[in-house]
Amino acid sequence: MTRNSLITDERISDEGLVRTFVRRIREGQLGSFPVILALVVIVIVFQSANSNFLSPANLVNLSTQVAYLAILALGINLILLLGEIDLSLAQLGGLAASVLGVLVVRQGVPPVVAVTIILLLGLVIGAIQGWFFAVVGIPAFVVTLAGLLAFTGLTLTVLGTQKNLSMADTFVFDFASYYFPAFWAYVFGAIAVIGFAGGIIHAKLRRHSAGLDSPSWTAVSVRIVLLVAIVFGFLILVNQDFGLALPFFLMMVIAIIIDLVLRKTRYGRSIYAVGGKVEAARRAGIRVTWVRISVFMTAGVLAALFGFVKAGVTTNAGSTLVGTQDLLNAIAAAVIGGTSLFGGRGSAWAAVLGAFVVGAINNGLYLIGFNSDMQQIITALVLLTAVVIDAVSRRGQRYVGRG
């Protein structure tokens, strides 16, 4: 929802809770509420169908799958904030993973050097694609479609005659299979909760001192308590199995960094401005070309990290590591999470929440015996619902002068 919770809306006392909720739907101010509600429903349905859905072992497995999907979705998310699309990110991750595998397995390159090389690879390729889009003026769809085809061929070229490359017994697998001791998992959870609580309390006090509407202390307390319950409930369950996975921890750190950059820096506000109205952003003095290229560069680095993490989780850096489904799931995750396809609206947490939805659907359907065909159909229906909500939201925002 918006920063002012539904229960703090000053018009509730006059309208009533139901009418306020309906008005917020009409005005496009629901924020993350639909995806959070969807997650709750998904958990209830699948846990009722199979009691193993919330089992410690399955949550550990789900968290590692969500980790690499969310990292890719975070890259897609940044491109969507510009109002553009990148069709090549998943395959770029596959190329990076193949280069990593060749360097580590066949060439014996030190881990730090190998990881640095693939991150630079993602950065450079992102810069090249961003340059063609922002400077030359070729539509991002065309540029990244060409990239997708090129990276597919380059992956096969890099691998040579041996198309399957196992990452077992390498540092990549060790990274993906590392689990924090329970003590450190709880420490990280406490830091996250304290940081979140401090952030919303500080924001409330600033808005109050500036004479602006702010959430009530009750609403603030409810949000903090809910976060505590979710974070520590999750940690208690996973610590009954292997524990908190390093890939999941990495994904959360990346999401937090991107969230802070988008919300707290001039650069982050520039991304929203460029995605909202390019000409208005240019007239405001924003370096539109640099913002666009830098976003593609960042997305390229995230794609490389996606390839690194997925190669470790699946112990595979071969030609079959990445498929079309990875790209589609990542786009679906960003859109389902609440990022607008039209640019200028969304958040880092949209990609993470959407990844949880997509991951939970696929995992839950697998547990109850549905095949991949049904997983894709249901994910498509959820995606369509998210797009409809986005369209209705934009219409409502224009109606009240926000869009």
Side-chain angles (χ1 to χ4, degrees):
M1 302 185 69
T2 58
R3 293 178 68 175
N4 288 347
S5 175
L6 180 66
I7 63 175
T8 67
D9 194 308
E10 59 188 6
R11 286 175 278 182
I12 287 181
S13 58
D14 298 326
E15 298 178 334
L17 186 62
V18 174
R19 288 186 178 181
T20 300
F21 183 75
V22 172
R23 173 175 56 77
R24 289 204 168 196
I25 294 177
R26 188 172 61 250
E27 295 179 359
Q29 299 184 57
L30 284 180
S32 299
F33 179 77
V35 68
I36 294 174
L37 178 62
L39 268 175
V40 172
V41 172
I42 288 169
V43 169
I44 292 174
V45 169
F46 287 129
Q47 179 64 16
S48 301
N50 190 319
S51 60
N52 289 324
F53 183 73
L54 288 180
S55 67
N58 190 58
L59 283 181
V60 169
N61 179 51
L62 178 60
S63 67
T64 55
Q65 294 174 357
V66 167
Y68 60 76
L69 172 60
I71 291 173
L72 181 61
L74 284 165
I76 293 289
N77 195 66
L78 289 173
I79 304 295
L80 289 177
L81 288 178
L82 292 178
E84 302 297 336
I85 190 66
D86 192 327
L87 301 177
S88 67
L89 282 186
Q91 201 57 53
L92 174 55
L95 173 61
S98 297
V99 171
L100 178 68
V102 170
L103 290 174
V104 173
V105 177
R106 297 180 185 173
Q107 305 297 329
V109 175
V112 175
V113 176
V115 173
T116 302
I117 289 174
I118 67 166
L119 294 181
L120 288 174
L121 175 67
L123 186 75
V124 171
I125 289 179
I128 293 172
Q129 294 198 129
W131 182 82
F132 275 110
F133 162 60
V135 178
V136 180
I138 303 175
F141 178 90
V142 177
V143 173
T144 57
L145 177 59
L148 182 149
L149 299 173
F151 303 151
T152 301
L154 284 172
T155 298
L156 297 174
T157 301
V158 167
L159 291 171
T161 56
Q162 184 183 355
K163 305 305 180 186
N164 294 319
L165 194 59
S166 174
M167 299 302 288
D169 301 322
T170 68
F171 80 95
V172 182
F173 171 73
D174 293 338
F175 173 91
S177 59
Y178 179 82
Y179 299 91
F180 289 99
F183 170 79
W184 287 110
Y186 291 129
V187 168
F188 296 143
I191 292 173
V193 169
I194 292 172
F196 173 82
I200 62 173
I201 291 173
H202 177 67
K204 172 183 168 51
L205 293 177
R206 285 190 60 187
R207 292 181 64 84
H208 180 74
S209 63
L212 301 173
D213 291 337
S214 61
S216 67
W217 284 112
T218 301
V220 170
S221 300
V222 168
R223 292 175 67 184
I224 294 174
V225 169
L226 285 176
L227 183 67
V228 170
I230 293 171
V231 169
F232 284 94
F234 170 77
L235 292 177
I236 288 172
L237 285 173
V238 297
N239 282 330
Q240 293 177 25
D241 195 65
F242 287 111
L244 178 66
L246 181 54
F248 186 83
F249 176 79
L250 173 65
M251 178 272 291
M252 293 300 295
V253 170
I254 293 172
I256 290 171
I257 292 173
I258 294 177
D259 175 64
L260 291 175
V261 169
L262 289 175
R263 291 190 302 110
K264 301 296 185 181
T265 68
R266 182 178 179 181
Y267 174 71
R269 292 189 291 272
S270 297
I271 293 176
Y272 285 111
V274 172
K277 288 187 179 296
V278 175
E279 190 56 36
R282 185 176 286 110
R283 292 182 179 182
I286 294 174
R287 299 167 60 191
V288 173
T289 299
W290 163 244
V291 169
R292 285 174 159 176
I293 293 176
S294 62
V295 167
F296 272 84
M297 292 167 65
T298 304
V301 172
L302 291 172
L305 284 173
F306 153 75
F308 168 74
V309 174
K310 188 172 184 182
V313 172
T314 62
T315 67
N316 170 37
S319 59
T320 59
L321 173 67
V322 173
T324 305
Q325 196 63 33
D326 291 285
L327 173 67
L328 299 180
N329 281 339
I331 295 175
V335 176
I336 289 170
T339 295
S340 176
L341 284 168
F342 305 98
R345 185 161 55 86
S347 68
W349 297 113
V352 176
L353 286 172
F356 270 107
V357 170
V358 174
I361 290 173
N362 291 336
N363 180 270
L365 290 174
Y366 173 79
L367 286 178
I368 60 179
F370 284 89
N371 57 26
S372 60
D373 298 340
M374 184 57 64
Q375 294 174 18
Q376 294 178 32
I377 292 172
I378 294 180
T379 302
L381 293 175
V382 175
L383 173 60
L384 180 61
T385 302
V387 174
V388 170
I389 292 174
D390 179 39
V392 172
S393 177
R394 286 179 60 83
R395 186 181 306 163
Q397 289 181 343
R398 287 195 296 269
Y399 175 76
V400 296
R402 294 176 183 267

